[in-house]
Amino acid sequence: MIDPKILLDFIKERRSIRAFQDKPIPEKEIDMILEAGRWAPSASNRQPWEFLVIKSKDVLKKIARVTGYGWFIGESSFAVAIVGKPRISGNWYVVDTSLVSMNMILMAWSLGIGTCWIGSMNKGKAKQILGLKANDYLLTVLPFGYIQGDIPEPTYRNPLNKIIKEL
Ligand SMILES: Cc1cc2nc3c(=O)[nH]c(=O)nc-3n(C[C@H](O)[C@H](O)[C@H](O)COP(=O)(O)O)c2cc1C
């Protein structure tokens, strides 16, 4: 268990990071990020996912070119393509892989490693670059790297009293 206040502060401190240092990330830390993803919950524990670990600068740069707002993936130390498997869990692969993603994002943050969900991407082209099959679902490609520059200011969140309804 973790102290709840520490956890809440940690969740609030996380930021999307779009600038990375040109510095390798040790295998041990990469493994911790992947392990955090592996331990995500999934519907009926079907684990409808695969993780493609991308270390090739060439592939990272190719992916960067098929993003809209995700050029920074080309400057990351490595990236993980989170791939959903509809055949394993047809109703839940999007939800389950999203949970994987959040686990990886939080794990990375605890290691001082930045990342950012890239949604703005031509997924068809990205799937081709990654050699994925037609029925593979590419959730996102998360770029990882040590944070370059200042940690961004917090982004706005709607206050609880605007989003809560009590019954
Ligand atoms: C589904 C999804 C898609 C996103 N797509 C992009 C993207 O393509 N490019 C980008 O720079 N940030 C992207 N983001 C990051 C959001 O802009 C960011 O999470 C939001 O502004 C809140 O900022 P924070 O993560 O620093 O709290 C995406 C986030 C999510 C959850």
Side-chain angles (χ1 to χ4, degrees):
M1 289 293 166
I2 184 170
D3 180 292
K5 191 175 174 311
I6 290 178
L7 180 60
L8 186 57
D9 286 346
F10 176 73
I11 288 169
K12 287 178 162 183
E13 278 164 12
R14 183 210 54 81
R15 304 278 177 272
S16 289
I17 299 297
R18 300 177 177 86
F20 306 111
Q21 294 176 36
D22 183 15
K23 181 177 155 193
I25 295 178
E27 282 301 319
K28 206 174 134 209
E29 302 199 342
I30 296 177
D31 286 349
M32 287 181 88
I33 292 169
L34 299 172
E35 188 67 354
R38 185 171 81 92
W39 275 93
S42 62
S44 304
N45 198 23
R46 288 191 168 207
Q47 306 166 57
W49 53 60
E50 268 177 9
F51 312 150
L52 255 179
V53 182
I54 310 163
K55 293 179 182 167
S56 153
K57 292 282 170 208
D58 184 47
V59 177
L60 291 172
K61 288 202 160 46
K62 279 186 182 151
I63 297 286
R65 284 199 284 272
V66 300
T67 65
Y69 196 76
W71 71 91
F72 42 88
I73 197 168
E75 285 151 29
S76 63
S77 297
F78 77 101
V80 179
I82 302 176
V83 181
K85 297 281 173 179
R87 285 201 181 148
I88 299 178
S89 187
N91 289 332
W92 298 107
Y93 62 93
V94 179
V95 175
D96 291 346
T97 48
S98 298
L99 294 169
V100 163
S101 164
M102 197 66 227
N103 271 16
M104 289 188 183
I105 290 169
L106 289 175
M107 187 71 233
W109 190 255
S110 80
L111 294 162
I113 294 169
T115 184
C116 177
W117 184 310
I118 298 178
S120 169
M121 170 188 317
N122 182 325
K123 288 194 183 176
K125 286 188 180 164
K127 278 175 69 172
Q128 264 190 331
I129 294 165
L130 297 170
L132 295 176
K133 298 193 193 88
N135 55 5
D136 286 335
Y137 172 75
L138 179 59
L139 178 81
T140 186
V141 186
L142 292 177
F144 293 97
Y146 289 114
I147 301 164
Q148 168 90 295
D150 294 338
I151 292 176
E153 290 297 311
T155 47
Y156 174 78
R157 293 296 188 273
N158 292 320
L160 275 183
N161 65 12
K162 275 204 175 169
I163 57 173
I164 281 183
K165 282 188 183 149
E166 287 193 20
L167 297 179

